[in-house]
Amino acid sequence: MEETPSFYSLSETAVTVNLGSVVSPTVQARVQQLLMDLDNDPFQGYQESVPSYIGLTVFYEPMKIFGEERDAASEVISILKRRVKQIKDQMNASNGKHVTIPVCYDRDYGLDLDDVAKRNGLTRDEVIHIHTSGDYLVYMIGFAPGFPFLGGMDERIATPRHAQPRTEISAGSVGIAGGQTGVYPFTTPGGWQLIGQTPLTLFSANREVPSLLQAGDRVTFKEISKEEFLQMKVGKQ
């Protein structure tokens, strides 16, 4: 049964709408549909929307919102309620693009792969096979620009974050945190379990669309050798 959306004022310039309470491809599809609707047909005062697993935070300019009661937040919530009611649940995960990400799972890059395997009673090869067999949905982009939070990972390789994060993780590192997987777009601190690395650039300010992935995209991982990884890295230079 479809859940009733919830709306609340986050600040004087933002309203959050949640379209469900459980992370799922169906809820994510609705999130992407509402995001597309607002971006394609913005209301007066609309600035941008930031998607999450289950909803959107909508930012606006209060001085450009003119409700009868002069209450900007209430007016924006009324607008969003109408938009949510109007949109049809036609968007699904296949509307996003599909991206295959090559990954080298060599020990030089998969620093935690042995630990992930041991914790789950698997071999390294079994973890790699499971990880590359998945079809992942990009639920959202954060905590850093271009960082994809990917849902749909097999619970057989789920592993908690490190209790003590690393101070530096290389760009392209592929990690696991709980039941999700993701890719670090650039060198940054982080606590995810590292199982490999991709030579692809996930975020570049020099590209027309800086982030390689967007919420709603589908991702599969493809194993490559260390030699292939190094060749692809050299080819980018």
Side-chain angles (χ1 to χ4, degrees), residues 44-89:
Q44 182 170 293
Y46 176 79
Q47 292 182 309
E48 64 174 338
S49 293
V50 178
S52 69
Y53 281 113
I54 60 173
L56 292 173
T57 294
V58 180
F59 293 88
Y60 59 89
E61 296 181 65
M63 296 302 294
K64 293 185 178 181
I65 305 295
F66 299 102
E68 292 182 3
E69 299 179 357
R70 301 289 175 173
D71 182 340
S74 295
E75 180 66 11
V76 171
I77 288 174
S78 295
I79 292 171
L80 293 176
K81 285 181 176 179
R82 291 195 295 271
R83 293 296 184 94
V84 170
K85 187 175 181 179
Q86 290 170 1
I87 62 174
K88 296 180 180 180
D89 191 14

Short mmCIF file of all heavy atoms in Angstrom, two decimals, residues 44-89:
data_model
loop_
_atom_site.label_atom_id
_atom_site.label_comp_id
_atom_site.label_asym_id
_atom_site.label_seq_id
_atom_site.Cartn_x
_atom_site.Cartn_y
_atom_site.Cartn_z
N GLN A 44 7.39 29.86 -8.38
CA GLN A 44 8.02 31.14 -8.08
C GLN A 44 8.78 31.06 -6.76
O GLN A 44 8.23 30.66 -5.74
CB GLN A 44 6.97 32.24 -8.00
CG GLN A 44 7.55 33.63 -7.73
CD GLN A 44 6.52 34.71 -7.89
OE1 GLN A 44 6.05 34.98 -8.98
NE2 GLN A 44 6.14 35.34 -6.78
N GLY A 45 10.07 31.42 -6.78
CA GLY A 45 10.90 31.37 -5.59
C GLY A 45 11.68 30.09 -5.43
O GLY A 45 12.53 29.99 -4.54
N TYR A 46 11.41 29.10 -6.28
CA TYR A 46 12.12 27.81 -6.20
C TYR A 46 13.60 28.00 -6.53
O TYR A 46 13.96 28.70 -7.47
CB TYR A 46 11.50 26.83 -7.18
CG TYR A 46 12.20 25.50 -7.29
CD1 TYR A 46 12.01 24.51 -6.33
CD2 TYR A 46 13.05 25.22 -8.36
CE1 TYR A 46 12.65 23.28 -6.43
CE2 TYR A 46 13.68 24.00 -8.48
CZ TYR A 46 13.49 23.02 -7.52
OH TYR A 46 14.11 21.81 -7.63
N GLN A 47 14.48 27.38 -5.72
CA GLN A 47 15.91 27.43 -5.98
C GLN A 47 16.45 26.08 -6.44
O GLN A 47 16.99 25.95 -7.52
CB GLN A 47 16.66 27.91 -4.73
CG GLN A 47 16.38 29.36 -4.37
CD GLN A 47 17.18 29.82 -3.17
OE1 GLN A 47 17.18 29.17 -2.13
NE2 GLN A 47 17.86 30.94 -3.32
N GLU A 48 16.33 25.07 -5.60
CA GLU A 48 16.80 23.73 -5.97
C GLU A 48 16.21 22.71 -5.02
O GLU A 48 15.66 23.05 -3.95
CB GLU A 48 18.33 23.65 -5.89
CG GLU A 48 18.90 23.84 -4.49
CD GLU A 48 20.38 23.61 -4.42
OE1 GLU A 48 20.92 22.91 -5.30
OE2 GLU A 48 21.02 24.10 -3.47
N SER A 49 16.33 21.43 -5.39
CA SER A 49 15.90 20.33 -4.54
C SER A 49 17.05 19.36 -4.35
O SER A 49 17.78 19.07 -5.31
CB SER A 49 14.71 19.59 -5.16
OG SER A 49 13.56 20.40 -5.19
N VAL A 50 17.20 18.87 -3.14
CA VAL A 50 18.26 17.89 -2.83
C VAL A 50 17.58 16.58 -2.45
O VAL A 50 16.88 16.51 -1.44
CB VAL A 50 19.15 18.39 -1.68
CG1 VAL A 50 20.21 17.33 -1.35
CG2 VAL A 50 19.81 19.71 -2.05
N PRO A 51 17.76 15.53 -3.28
CA PRO A 51 17.08 14.26 -3.00
C PRO A 51 17.78 13.45 -1.92
O PRO A 51 19.00 13.56 -1.72
CB PRO A 51 17.14 13.54 -4.35
CG PRO A 51 18.39 14.07 -4.99
CD PRO A 51 18.49 15.52 -4.55
N SER A 52 17.02 12.62 -1.23
CA SER A 52 17.55 11.67 -0.26
C SER A 52 17.01 10.29 -0.63
O SER A 52 16.40 10.11 -1.69
CB SER A 52 17.12 12.05 1.15
OG SER A 52 15.72 11.86 1.32
N TYR A 53 17.19 9.31 0.24
CA TYR A 53 16.67 7.97 -0.03
C TYR A 53 15.15 7.96 -0.18
O TYR A 53 14.60 7.22 -0.99
CB TYR A 53 17.05 7.02 1.11
CG TYR A 53 18.46 6.51 1.06
CD1 TYR A 53 19.38 6.88 2.03
CD2 TYR A 53 18.89 5.65 0.07
CE1 TYR A 53 20.69 6.41 2.01
CE2 TYR A 53 20.18 5.17 0.02
CZ TYR A 53 21.09 5.55 1.00
OH TYR A 53 22.37 5.08 0.96
N ILE A 54 14.47 8.78 0.61
CA ILE A 54 13.01 8.68 0.65
C ILE A 54 12.29 9.99 0.35
O ILE A 54 11.06 10.04 0.40
CB ILE A 54 12.53 8.17 2.03
CG1 ILE A 54 12.98 9.12 3.14
CG2 ILE A 54 13.01 6.75 2.27
CD1 ILE A 54 12.39 8.77 4.51
N GLY A 55 13.01 11.04 0.03
CA GLY A 55 12.32 12.31 -0.21
C GLY A 55 13.20 13.39 -0.79
O GLY A 55 14.27 13.12 -1.33
N LEU A 56 12.71 14.62 -0.67
CA LEU A 56 13.42 15.79 -1.18
C LEU A 56 13.42 16.90 -0.13
O LEU A 56 12.44 17.06 0.61
CB LEU A 56 12.71 16.36 -2.42
CG LEU A 56 12.68 15.60 -3.73
CD1 LEU A 56 11.77 16.34 -4.70
CD2 LEU A 56 14.07 15.49 -4.31
N THR A 57 14.51 17.66 -0.10
CA THR A 57 14.50 18.92 0.62
C THR A 57 14.49 20.02 -0.43
O THR A 57 15.36 20.07 -1.30
CB THR A 57 15.71 19.08 1.54
OG1 THR A 57 15.63 18.10 2.59
CG2 THR A 57 15.74 20.46 2.17
N VAL A 58 13.45 20.84 -0.39
CA VAL A 58 13.22 21.87 -1.41
C VAL A 58 13.61 23.23 -0.84
O VAL A 58 13.08 23.67 0.18
CB VAL A 58 11.75 21.88 -1.85
CG1 VAL A 58 11.51 22.96 -2.89
CG2 VAL A 58 11.34 20.50 -2.38
N PHE A 59 14.54 23.89 -1.51
CA PHE A 59 15.02 25.20 -1.07
C PHE A 59 14.35 26.30 -1.89
O PHE A 59 14.15 26.14 -3.11
CB PHE A 59 16.54 25.29 -1.22
CG PHE A 59 17.28 24.37 -0.28
CD1 PHE A 59 17.57 23.07 -0.66
CD2 PHE A 59 17.67 24.81 0.97
CE1 PHE A 59 18.24 22.21 0.21
CE2 PHE A 59 18.35 23.97 1.85
CZ PHE A 59 18.63 22.66 1.46
N TYR A 60 14.03 27.40 -1.24
CA TYR A 60 13.29 28.47 -1.89
C TYR A 60 13.68 29.83 -1.30
O TYR A 60 14.30 29.92 -0.24
CB TYR A 60 11.78 28.26 -1.74
CG TYR A 60 11.31 28.19 -0.30
CD1 TYR A 60 10.94 29.34 0.40
CD2 TYR A 60 11.28 26.98 0.39
CE1 TYR A 60 10.54 29.30 1.72
CE2 TYR A 60 10.88 26.91 1.72
CZ TYR A 60 10.51 28.07 2.37
OH TYR A 60 10.12 28.02 3.70
N GLU A 61 13.29 30.89 -2.01
CA GLU A 61 13.52 32.25 -1.54
C GLU A 61 12.22 32.77 -0.92
O GLU A 61 11.24 33.01 -1.64
CB GLU A 61 13.93 33.15 -2.70
CG GLU A 61 15.25 32.79 -3.34
CD GLU A 61 15.61 33.73 -4.46
OE1 GLU A 61 15.83 34.93 -4.18
OE2 GLU A 61 15.65 33.28 -5.63
N PRO A 62 12.16 32.94 0.40
CA PRO A 62 10.91 33.32 1.07
C PRO A 62 10.28 34.60 0.52
O PRO A 62 9.05 34.69 0.42
CB PRO A 62 11.34 33.52 2.53
CG PRO A 62 12.55 32.67 2.68
CD PRO A 62 13.25 32.74 1.36
N MET A 63 11.11 35.57 0.15
CA MET A 63 10.57 36.85 -0.30
C MET A 63 9.85 36.74 -1.65
O MET A 63 9.13 37.65 -2.05
CB MET A 63 11.70 37.89 -0.40
CG MET A 63 12.34 38.21 0.94
SD MET A 63 11.14 38.84 2.16
CE MET A 63 10.68 40.40 1.39
N LYS A 64 10.07 35.61 -2.36
CA LYS A 64 9.42 35.44 -3.66
C LYS A 64 8.19 34.54 -3.57
O LYS A 64 7.56 34.23 -4.57
CB LYS A 64 10.41 34.88 -4.68
CG LYS A 64 11.52 35.87 -5.02
CD LYS A 64 12.41 35.31 -6.12
CE LYS A 64 13.50 36.33 -6.48
NZ LYS A 64 14.37 35.82 -7.56
N ILE A 65 7.88 34.07 -2.35
CA ILE A 65 6.70 33.24 -2.13
C ILE A 65 5.58 34.13 -1.63
O ILE A 65 5.72 34.82 -0.63
CB ILE A 65 6.97 32.14 -1.08
CG1 ILE A 65 8.19 31.31 -1.50
CG2 ILE A 65 5.75 31.26 -0.90
CD1 ILE A 65 8.03 30.52 -2.77
N PHE A 66 4.46 34.11 -2.33
CA PHE A 66 3.36 34.99 -1.95
C PHE A 66 2.08 34.19 -1.69
O PHE A 66 1.26 34.00 -2.59
CB PHE A 66 3.11 36.04 -3.04
CG PHE A 66 4.30 36.91 -3.28
CD1 PHE A 66 5.12 36.70 -4.38
CD2 PHE A 66 4.62 37.92 -2.39
CE1 PHE A 66 6.23 37.50 -4.59
CE2 PHE A 66 5.72 38.73 -2.60
CZ PHE A 66 6.54 38.52 -3.70
N GLY A 67 1.94 33.69 -0.49
CA GLY A 67 0.71 33.00 -0.11
C GLY A 67 -0.27 33.98 0.49
O GLY A 67 0.09 35.10 0.87
N GLU A 68 -1.51 33.56 0.60
CA GLU A 68 -2.54 34.42 1.15
C GLU A 68 -2.22 34.85 2.58
O GLU A 68 -2.53 35.96 3.01
CB GLU A 68 -3.90 33.71 1.11
CG GLU A 68 -4.42 33.50 -0.31
CD GLU A 68 -5.78 32.84 -0.29
OE1 GLU A 68 -6.30 32.61 0.81
OE2 GLU A 68 -6.32 32.58 -1.38
N GLU A 69 -1.59 33.94 3.33
CA GLU A 69 -1.27 34.25 4.72
C GLU A 69 0.17 34.75 4.87
O GLU A 69 0.64 34.93 5.98
CB GLU A 69 -1.50 33.01 5.59
CG GLU A 69 -2.94 32.51 5.57
CD GLU A 69 -3.11 31.27 6.40
OE1 GLU A 69 -2.10 30.79 6.95
OE2 GLU A 69 -4.25 30.80 6.53
N ARG A 70 0.81 34.93 3.78
CA ARG A 70 2.20 35.41 3.79
C ARG A 70 3.11 34.48 4.60
O ARG A 70 4.08 34.90 5.19
CB ARG A 70 2.28 36.83 4.36
CG ARG A 70 1.47 37.84 3.58
CD ARG A 70 2.10 38.11 2.22
NE ARG A 70 1.25 38.99 1.43
CZ ARG A 70 1.62 39.49 0.25
NH1 ARG A 70 2.79 39.20 -0.25
NH2 ARG A 70 0.80 40.26 -0.43
N ASP A 71 2.75 33.20 4.64
CA ASP A 71 3.56 32.20 5.33
C ASP A 71 4.26 31.37 4.25
O ASP A 71 3.65 30.50 3.63
CB ASP A 71 2.66 31.31 6.20
CG ASP A 71 3.46 30.27 6.98
OD1 ASP A 71 4.61 29.98 6.60
OD2 ASP A 71 2.92 29.75 7.97
N ALA A 72 5.54 31.66 4.01
CA ALA A 72 6.25 31.04 2.89
C ALA A 72 6.29 29.52 3.01
O ALA A 72 6.04 28.80 2.04
CB ALA A 72 7.68 31.60 2.82
N ALA A 73 6.61 29.00 4.20
CA ALA A 73 6.72 27.56 4.37
C ALA A 73 5.39 26.86 4.10
O ALA A 73 5.34 25.84 3.39
CB ALA A 73 7.21 27.23 5.79
N SER A 74 4.30 27.42 4.63
CA SER A 74 2.98 26.83 4.41
C SER A 74 2.61 26.86 2.93
O SER A 74 2.01 25.92 2.41
CB SER A 74 1.92 27.56 5.22
OG SER A 74 2.14 27.40 6.61
N GLU A 75 2.96 27.95 2.26
CA GLU A 75 2.65 28.06 0.84
C GLU A 75 3.44 27.03 0.04
O GLU A 75 2.90 26.39 -0.88
CB GLU A 75 2.98 29.47 0.34
CG GLU A 75 2.70 29.69 -1.14
CD GLU A 75 1.22 29.62 -1.48
OE1 GLU A 75 0.38 29.60 -0.55
OE2 GLU A 75 0.91 29.56 -2.68
N VAL A 76 4.72 26.86 0.36
CA VAL A 76 5.54 25.87 -0.36
C VAL A 76 5.02 24.46 -0.11
O VAL A 76 4.94 23.64 -1.03
CB VAL A 76 7.03 25.98 0.06
CG1 VAL A 76 7.85 24.82 -0.52
CG2 VAL A 76 7.61 27.31 -0.42
N ILE A 77 4.64 24.17 1.12
CA ILE A 77 4.07 22.85 1.43
C ILE A 77 2.79 22.62 0.62
O ILE A 77 2.56 21.53 0.08
CB ILE A 77 3.80 22.71 2.94
CG1 ILE A 77 5.14 22.58 3.68
CG2 ILE A 77 2.91 21.50 3.23
CD1 ILE A 77 5.00 22.58 5.20
N SER A 78 1.96 23.65 0.50
CA SER A 78 0.73 23.54 -0.31
C SER A 78 1.07 23.25 -1.77
O SER A 78 0.42 22.41 -2.42
CB SER A 78 -0.09 24.82 -0.21
OG SER A 78 -0.57 25.03 1.10
N ILE A 79 2.08 23.94 -2.27
CA ILE A 79 2.51 23.71 -3.65
C ILE A 79 2.99 22.27 -3.83
O ILE A 79 2.63 21.59 -4.79
CB ILE A 79 3.63 24.70 -4.03
CG1 ILE A 79 3.09 26.13 -4.10
CG2 ILE A 79 4.27 24.31 -5.37
CD1 ILE A 79 4.17 27.18 -4.25
N LEU A 80 3.81 21.81 -2.88
CA LEU A 80 4.35 20.45 -2.99
C LEU A 80 3.26 19.39 -2.87
O LEU A 80 3.31 18.36 -3.56
CB LEU A 80 5.42 20.23 -1.90
CG LEU A 80 6.69 21.06 -2.06
CD1 LEU A 80 7.63 20.82 -0.88
CD2 LEU A 80 7.40 20.72 -3.37
N LYS A 81 2.28 19.63 -2.02
CA LYS A 81 1.16 18.69 -1.91
C LYS A 81 0.43 18.56 -3.24
O LYS A 81 0.05 17.46 -3.66
CB LYS A 81 0.20 19.13 -0.81
CG LYS A 81 0.73 18.88 0.60
CD LYS A 81 -0.28 19.31 1.66
CE LYS A 81 0.21 18.97 3.06
NZ LYS A 81 -0.74 19.40 4.11
N ARG A 82 0.25 19.71 -3.93
CA ARG A 82 -0.42 19.67 -5.22
C ARG A 82 0.44 18.94 -6.25
O ARG A 82 -0.09 18.14 -7.05
CB ARG A 82 -0.73 21.09 -5.71
CG ARG A 82 -1.80 21.81 -4.89
CD ARG A 82 -2.30 23.04 -5.62
NE ARG A 82 -1.28 24.06 -5.79
CZ ARG A 82 -1.02 25.02 -4.90
NH1 ARG A 82 -1.73 25.08 -3.78
NH2 ARG A 82 -0.09 25.93 -5.14
N ARG A 83 1.74 19.20 -6.23
CA ARG A 83 2.64 18.55 -7.18
C ARG A 83 2.66 17.04 -6.96
O ARG A 83 2.62 16.26 -7.92
CB ARG A 83 4.05 19.11 -7.04
CG ARG A 83 4.20 20.57 -7.45
CD ARG A 83 3.92 20.77 -8.94
NE ARG A 83 4.16 22.14 -9.34
CZ ARG A 83 5.31 22.59 -9.86
NH1 ARG A 83 6.31 21.75 -10.05
NH2 ARG A 83 5.45 23.86 -10.19
N VAL A 84 2.76 16.61 -5.71
CA VAL A 84 2.80 15.18 -5.40
C VAL A 84 1.51 14.51 -5.85
O VAL A 84 1.51 13.39 -6.37
CB VAL A 84 3.04 14.95 -3.89
CG1 VAL A 84 2.84 13.48 -3.53
CG2 VAL A 84 4.44 15.38 -3.51
N LYS A 85 0.39 15.20 -5.66
CA LYS A 85 -0.91 14.64 -6.04
C LYS A 85 -1.04 14.54 -7.55
O LYS A 85 -1.66 13.60 -8.09
CB LYS A 85 -2.03 15.52 -5.48
CG LYS A 85 -3.41 14.94 -5.68
CD LYS A 85 -4.47 15.80 -4.99
CE LYS A 85 -5.86 15.22 -5.17
NZ LYS A 85 -6.89 16.05 -4.50
N GLN A 86 -0.42 15.48 -8.26
CA GLN A 86 -0.56 15.53 -9.72
C GLN A 86 0.34 14.53 -10.44
O GLN A 86 -0.05 13.97 -11.47
CB GLN A 86 -0.25 16.94 -10.23
CG GLN A 86 -1.30 17.97 -9.86
CD GLN A 86 -0.86 19.40 -10.15
OE1 GLN A 86 0.24 19.62 -10.66
NE2 GLN A 86 -1.70 20.36 -9.85
N ILE A 87 1.53 14.33 -9.92
CA ILE A 87 2.47 13.46 -10.64
C ILE A 87 1.96 12.02 -10.63
O ILE A 87 1.35 11.56 -9.68
CB ILE A 87 3.89 13.54 -10.05
CG1 ILE A 87 3.91 13.06 -8.60
CG2 ILE A 87 4.48 14.92 -10.19
CD1 ILE A 87 5.31 12.97 -8.02
N LYS A 88 2.23 11.32 -11.67
CA LYS A 88 1.85 9.93 -11.79
C LYS A 88 3.08 9.06 -11.61
O LYS A 88 4.18 9.41 -12.04
CB LYS A 88 1.21 9.65 -13.15
CG LYS A 88 -0.09 10.41 -13.37
CD LYS A 88 -0.67 10.10 -14.74
CE LYS A 88 -1.97 10.85 -14.95
NZ LYS A 88 -2.56 10.58 -16.28
N ASP A 89 2.91 7.94 -10.99
CA ASP A 89 4.04 7.05 -10.71
C ASP A 89 4.42 6.28 -11.97
O ASP A 89 4.20 5.08 -12.09
CB ASP A 89 3.67 6.08 -9.58
CG ASP A 89 4.87 5.33 -9.08
OD1 ASP A 89 6.00 5.74 -9.39
OD2 ASP A 89 4.69 4.32 -8.39
#
